[in-house]
Amino acid sequence: MSEIKKIRSKDRDAVIQSLRAGVVPRKGLQHIQVGRAGEVKALLTDIQRITESGSFIRLIIGEYGSGKTFFLNLIRTIAMEKKCVTVHADLSPDRRLHATGGQARLLYAELMRNLSTRPRPDGGALSAVVERFISEMLKSAKNRGVTPGTVIGENLDCLTELVGGYDFAEVISAYWKAYDSGNDSLKTNALRWLRGEFSTKTEARQALGVRTIIDDSNFYNMLKLMAKFVKLAGYSGLVVCLDEMVNLFKMASSQARKSNYEEILHILNDCLQGTADGIGFLLGGTPDFLYDTRKGLYSYSALQSRLAKNTFAVDGLLDYSGPVISLGNLVPEDIYVLLTKLRHVFAYGDPGNYLVPDDALYVFIEHCQKRIGDAYFRTPRNTIVSFINLLSVLEQNPGASWQTLLGSVEIEIEQNPDVEVNIKNAAKVDEELSAFKL
Amino acid sequence: MELAIIFIIGMIIVIISVVSSRSSKDNSTSAFQAGEGEFPSIRVTVTTSTQGGSGYSDNKPNDYKWIPPGESVTIANLQIPGGMIYCGKHLKSISDHYMIEPSFINASLPIDLENPDSEGNNLNYWPSYSSIPQSNRAAYLLWLAGGRVDTNINIGYVFIFFYGLERRLLNDTKTSNVSHDEIQAIYDELRIMRQIYGPLSSSFNHYVNGLIEVVELGNTKGKFYDLAVPLGKFTYELSPIIKLALGQLALEGKPLTAKWIFQYVLHHPDINLRTPAKRCPGEFKKLFEIWYAKKFKDGIIIKPNKTKVKLNYHCGNAGLSGLNYNKIWDIPDVSILKSLLNKILPIVEVCQNDLDRYSRWLGQHPGEEDSIIAFSLLPDELASVMTNKKVETFRGWLNNSMDGAEDALINNKELIDRWQTKNDDRMLKSETLSFISFLEKMKYGIEPDVRFGGTSIKAPGKSVIFKLHGQPVSDVGTEYLGEALLIHIAAVIAKADGKIEESERSLLLGFINKSSALVPEEKHRMKALLTWHLNTDISTKGLKKQLEPLEREQKLLLAEYIVSVAGADGYISPEEVKMLTKLYNFLGFEAKDLYSHIHLFEADKTGDSEEPVMVRASENSRNGYSIPAPEPVMGKQGIDLDMGKIKNIQEETKVVVDILGKIFTEEEPQEEIVEQEPVADDTTESLQGLDANHTAVLLTFEAQKVWAREEFEKLTSKYDLLPDGALETLNERSLEVCDENLCEGDDPIIINQEVYEELMT
């Protein structure tokens, strides 16, 4: 047996609390990750690449419940550990990559609100990043005996080559000025501008004296600027996580869909050709988002060839360098291993403290299976919650026997939100049909 | 009248003296076993009759003479060549003394040469010269005078003549000395008559054959089986010679040769030969011999039975009834054996059936025996031993086109041009079928084959011609059709992206090779079909209908299979997805199911599966479509966890934990050797790699653990730092060192005492 590695109580508590609440933990993920070594390795290489001023794009494809979000969080956490800045957002009808009605700007704004660094993994780290940059500039200015404005200008000069770079630099300078002059409203405006919260140019001009704003038309360029900026601020790079890409697939207008896919193509080309610098994209979506030839990415012919897998990666050879990473569905065995890991975390990593024996895991799985059928492993959220609850009760009541408690464990079937909608619709149709008379 | 009688008597005396002198020389060489008797004494009585003959005789003595072969005689001014007739005044029949010998020519009877009645419609069944009207007699004599060759004559006249020969052979040889030469001459005459008149009357043919046999068999000294086979095509009567030949072979323990068995077939009363055998006797004979040799090598060896061969000859001459020829040989009559018949009948049936199409075609196209189509319709056994110029030309062209390859793609137009077709641009189904059977005779197959789900050959279009290595497949199992369907679908998928990758081709070939449901010949055929599918415009036409009857479970497996085919080249292209969508629709699945399957396929490949391309092995079943059975569904009854799988997952998990561990676990804080920039500030200390300003802020925390935002901002600005930036830098450092944030919260900002202490140590 390998030596017992204790799990820190903070990690343990974070994991247990998150899982209990049915959300993916932000800390201690490594303790409950099951399998997927190849994928993790591949993404690790990707992140390494952006710290070396490279770029990457990955489509993380998985069915509902296959652990996409968990996986994205895991990668995001790794990125932060590697001193990357991460931004993440779910796409929705109001948040898209390309739009004319402000939806792309809203997506940008959401990303910036969720901008995280390792010290601030829960988002809201934009000001910290900006201030960290300015602090460095101040220090440098002091050392060189020049004005901070000059140093900032020099450092941001490289941004001005990029589209919107000039105004971006202006806004950062404005932030410094605001700090310098104690003008809080200017500071707020600068942050608002950076977060894409100005909806009109006039407003921005009045507030900051810049002629452009972050809007639908420059969504991706602004991300690139941000990626450069975080590097200047001393971070390794920017990782952009976009989840629920299926919302693009669901868009009714084919023209709008196409525009969004064009944006993806644009990003993809940049990333694969190395034009982008220090930026990585993780796009999470369901199989239909990718494969549907009418509405999915496959409907956009220019994307097809670029999504191709390595032709030589057959017959046992694996290649994770293609942009698509397919996450397989969970199988009962995965759940079993996951339960052993949860038990391990619960016992602070000490097998001597295990609250239940191996047998209990079997019985528990069996119990779940009886209750909700195969859903227990396909969409394991509730299975995990129940197991954690069971362990908690056992922990707090040392006298209780797991056999007795198990019988009272309730598990709810989790519905795929997409399916649910369909069922509702179907029910509606049924009603209509039953009301129909000859 | 008197003069004539005197002349006749004189002749008789001359003949008798000649014959007796010759018989005394040759009596030991006569073939007739009963033929050594003395000629009866002949008394010539001359009677006169002015009436027409009645056929009835009063019991007066005979007065006649036998005109020997080769001699002429003149009757009623008609010179009759060749002899072999009885004539004179009176000749009683042998069996009935009140009856005149039917063949006897009573020269005194009137004849009406003015009105000869060669048609002889009024002749009765047993005609007799004496009893027929004078116009008939005239016709008879004219026929005789004409050399007995005129075929426009009632067969009754021929019979009259024949009766005489019968009497001479069966009666006179017993009672008088008939020379061997004469018997030979009569025998020759019989054979000539059989040739001329046999075909005109089966009755006559029967009698003449019988009599010939009597002569032949009576004279045979050597082996019966060495004799020539009897002439005559089909009868329902086995002539004794056949029986004797077969019997003698059996007796000597020799195999029954095809030569005699075929005669047995032709004449056995219980073997009913149908049109194919009759229309194409030559082909039938050859085919029969081939089959007979195939089944019995040199021939059937049969144990002699007890029944002996008998020869019964019932005379046609009414005046000879009772004088029938009966002979029993000491040779077994194996022809009566049911066991022999049972061995032969199946072969006869096979031969006739195999010739059926050929015969029918010849029936419709008389005189085209040497056409390429006729050849194509021949049974394989015959085709391989027969040659045909047109066929050889075709073979040469085909060999050229194949160029030594296993299969070759050939334009249908070229095939149609080389075949006899009704239309220029297509073969009808029947034409296609005959073309296919022709190819098979040349040891080639074609795909698509109209018999196995293909269509008729049409131009424009292409077909794959392939070499046959064994017996052509005449029928295929449902497994073949099932797998052909799979190959079709798979080819559709493989081609969906507009190109065929080698990996896709080899996956499909591997699929065919591995199939346990197919016999080798079917595999060859399937490969040709694959070649065709991959090289021609492929359609999904008709697939839906073929797919519909499958069980849902089979459909599911099929669905998974086609996804794996599409992904065999490592990539499922959008065109392939489109095609898959269509096929999924055929299978009754939704596009969403397809995306799931593609995804699972991809996940299997990139995920933890050891076999990225998973095509489950087909089950070894000969019933229904051979589609692999599903793996047992996990956890349907009770929990059945796969411990091996768990172990794999645990191992992989260990790997990932190691990777993650390196990232997440608290590393010992590496004391970074930071090049200290000259600091103009009063603070000179530097902690944990922080610069002077941040170190200064950090040191301030010693005294105060809770900071209001405003306070903190003042603090940072004192050191030329921005508050959020300072927090970020400090926390990042503390995370690196202690894996925890030093400062928590935005307002107030709380310093984590533990972390602080750790940082300060």
Side-chain angles (χ1 to χ4, degrees), chain A residues 10 63 127 131 235 320 369, chain B residues 596 605-606 635 724 728 740:
Chain A
K10 248 181 103 177
E63 301 268 18
S127 63
E131 290 190 6
Y235 297 92
Y320 291 99
Q369 207 268 334
Chain B
S596 273
K605 204 162 64 175
T606 54
D724 281 345
E728 180 76 4
E740 269 185 86

